[in-house]
Amino acid sequence: LPSMDDFDDRSGVVQIKAAWGSWYQTIDEVVLLIDVPKGTKAKSLSVKIKARHIECSFVGQQQPILSGELFRGIVAEDSLWSLEDGCLLRIVLPKSQRTADNSWRSLLVDGGGEADAAAFDAVEKKMTLERFQRENPGFDFSSAEITGNYQGGGPKMPESKS
């Protein structure tokens, strides 16, 4: 049976390009991929994450790599970052609201890392399919196509009365 563990591996992610790298989102989290110079050491990076704000910089440098108010809230204490191969800073921000209708149009409130219309449309489709996969674990929605009402997490199903 298909599981949620590999849904993104099977269906792919919709990466949004930004000046500092790229980012993508799932129902549960936002992931930032920031390119840093090869050979960068983790101790040379400063990453500050708060419920509505993020700042990444090189220690001792005034100009941050990325800084601003996040588009929506996250769970700061569950966030994490890692430096991969000395050239990629990966930051995982768990969303505080984990529903398919919580699609971030932009990483930052001021428009930093904003998705264009086509990319945001693809994000909403993917998150709706992710929701369907969670609601119907016996089916595989990873390569499904979706049309119609998928904006805002797709159609709302009536609550079943038990």
Side-chain angles (χ1 to χ4, degrees):
L1 286 176
S3 73
M4 288 308 299
D5 295 338
D6 63 348
F7 184 80
D8 289 328
D9 292 338
R10 290 180 287 117
S11 64
V13 296
V14 179
Q15 286 198 24
I16 310 300
K17 298 288 185 197
W20 40 263
S22 64
W23 67 282
Y24 65 90
Q25 62 184 306
T26 66
I27 287 176
D28 295 323
E29 61 195 17
V30 173
V31 178
L32 287 68
L33 305 170
I34 301 173
D35 298 316
V36 294
K38 189 142 185 76
T40 296
K41 303 287 185 208
K43 65 183 177 185
S44 69
L45 293 169
S46 171
V47 180
K48 298 174 185 167
I49 301 169
K50 296 181 181 168
R52 290 294 305 239
H53 192 270
I54 187 164
E55 182 174 312
C56 307
S57 60
F58 287 101
V59 174
Q61 288 191 1
Q62 298 251 332
Q63 183 67 28
I65 301 167
L66 166 68
S67 180
E69 183 181 350
L70 294 167
F71 191 74
R72 297 225 170 98
I74 55 121
V75 183
E77 58 271 10
D78 291 340
S79 299
L80 59 95
W81 65 273
S82 63
L83 180 63
E84 300 174 10
D85 300 324
C87 63
L88 178 69
L89 173 60
R90 180 183 302 267
I91 303 171
V92 180
L93 307 171
K95 292 179 175 179
S96 56
Q97 179 190 350
R98 298 175 185 176
T99 59
D101 61 349
N102 184 22
S103 299
W104 293 24
R105 182 171 292 281
S106 179
L107 180 68
L108 302 176
V109 170
D110 71 3
E114 185 169 9
D116 63 30
F120 187 67
D121 187 60
V123 166
E124 286 200 307
K125 285 180 181 181
K126 175 152 181 351
M127 288 180 58
T128 299
L129 289 172
E130 186 178 351
R131 181 192 125 203
F132 291 165
Q133 181 71 58
R134 288 177 183 212
E135 292 172 352
N136 303 281
F139 294 94
D140 182 0
F141 290 92
S142 62
S143 60
E145 291 292 324
I146 187 169
T147 60
N149 180 15
Y150 56 83
Q151 286 82 13
K156 305 298 180 248
M157 300 300 172
E159 296 290 323
S160 62
K161 295 179 179 162
S162 306

